[in-house]
């Protein structure tokens, strides 16, 4: 058996082993959570101009990763795909912390690798999919942060993290069982950035502008 087959076998074994309890962050492949589609209001009239106008969005069913991608998962990708690791942080690499210092293109290439390795389709979430999932999807209780009105229960931020990345899934999850949607590290979305939502009309599965200069990041760091 060649080295590629050995690595894939190892990944599968570790994925099966790590799908329960606190081992969820140890999987070399992301654990995915089903999100039942529905209609929700995206945006915030109290926010900045690029969060307006608030309007209804209809999303079909999709899946999203239970945690942010970890360094351990990124190492598995780089090893198999023969990619160089990104520049290290000032505090070094810690396996079960979120991966950082990657570009939008890096994140997209990772999704393509996952698709090729597993035979399933992986991609970055749209901004609307990210926000719906962060709010708790159809199970949303209307919390201020993703999973709670108390940010300390669900998210790491500057004063709470010593400005370092943190181990994923230490805080409480949101209504869908997703972790760190508020804080820890910023998360890439598929969309190009626009300085305002294009329409106040209800739209289905929006993908954002066709072109742009910047890509969307969500979640806070």
């Amino acid at each position: 058996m060649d080295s590629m087959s050995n690595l894939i076998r190892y990944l599968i074994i570790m994925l099966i082993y790590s799908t329960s309890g606190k081992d969820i962050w140890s999987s070399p492949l992301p654990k995915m959570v089903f999100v039942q589609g529905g209609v929700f209001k995206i945006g915030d009239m109290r926010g900045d101009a690029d969060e307006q106008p608030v309007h209804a969005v209809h999303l079909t069913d999709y899946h999203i990763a239970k945690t942010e991608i970890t360094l351990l998962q990124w190492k598995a990708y780089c090893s198999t795909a023969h990619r160089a690791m990104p520049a290290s942080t000032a505090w070094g690499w810690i396996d079960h912390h979120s991966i950082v210092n990657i570009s939008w293109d890096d994140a997209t290439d990772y999704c393509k690798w996952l698709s090729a390795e597993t035979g399933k389709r992986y991609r970055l979430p749209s901004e609307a999919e990210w926000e719906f999932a962060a709010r708790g999807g159809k199970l949303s209780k209307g919390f201020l942060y993703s999973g709670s009105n108390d940010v300390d229960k669900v998210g790491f931020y500057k004063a709470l993290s010593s400005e370092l990345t943190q181990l994923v899934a230490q805080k409480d999850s949101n209504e869908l069982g997703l972790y760190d949607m508020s804080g820890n590290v910023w998360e890439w979305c598929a969309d190009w950035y626009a300085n305002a939502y294009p329409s106040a009309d209800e739209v289905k599965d929006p993908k954002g502008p066709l072109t742009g200069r910047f890509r969307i990041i969500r979640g806070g760091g």
Side-chain angles (χ1 to χ4, degrees), residues 46-81:
R46 297 170 298 176
D48 297 330
D50 58 5
E51 298 176 76
Q52 303 172 24
V54 175
H55 62 285
V57 169
H58 178 210
L59 296 176
T60 53
D61 298 348
Y62 61 101
H63 289 77
I64 196 165
K66 192 176 187 73
T67 72
E68 295 162 333
I69 301 303
T70 66
L71 175 64
L72 179 70
Q73 292 166 339
W74 199 263
K75 281 180 177 178
Y77 160 57
C78 289
S79 176
T80 305

Side-chain angles (χ1 to χ4, degrees), residues 155-169:
F156 287 103
Y157 54 95
K158 184 175 181 179
L160 199 63
S161 66
S162 301
E163 300 187 60
L164 310 177
T165 58
Q166 299 294 319
L167 178 73
V168 301

Side-chain angles (χ1 to χ4, degrees), residues 67-74 89 91-101 165-169 179-180 183-187:
T67 72
E68 295 162 333
I69 301 303
T70 66
L71 175 64
L72 179 70
Q73 292 166 339
W74 199 263
T89 62
W91 52 93
W93 288 127
I94 304 173
D95 274 355
H96 305 314
H97 282 215
S98 305
I99 187 65
V100 292
N101 295 340
T165 58
Q166 299 294 319
L167 178 73
V168 301
Y179 293 91
D180 299 304
N184 204 1
V185 301
W186 290 100
E187 300 170 10

Side-chain angles (χ1 to χ4, degrees), residues 13 36 39 47 50-51 82-83 93 98 101 129 172 190 209 220-221:
I13 291 172
Q36 183 181 2
V39 177
D50 58 5
E51 298 176 76
H82 305 292
R83 294 282 296 256
W93 288 127
S98 305
N101 295 340
E129 289 171 334
D172 293 344

Side-chain angles (χ1 to χ4, degrees), residues 81 130 192 213:
W130 187 97
W192 287 105
R213 184 179 178 188

Side-chain angles (χ1 to χ4, degrees), residues 91-140:
W91 52 93
W93 288 127
I94 304 173
D95 274 355
H96 305 314
H97 282 215
S98 305
I99 187 65
V100 292
N101 295 340
I102 62 169
S103 68
W104 184 90
D105 287 328
D106 292 334
T108 300
D109 287 345
Y110 175 70
C111 292
K112 293 176 181 177
W113 172 80
L114 279 175
S115 300
E117 290 296 307
T118 64
K120 299 178 181 179
R121 182 174 178 240
Y122 287 84
R123 59 174 175 80
L124 294 177
S126 69
E127 182 181 22
E129 289 171 334
W130 187 97
E131 183 166 324
F132 185 59
R135 291 179 180 220
K138 297 184 76 171
L139 302 178
S140 177

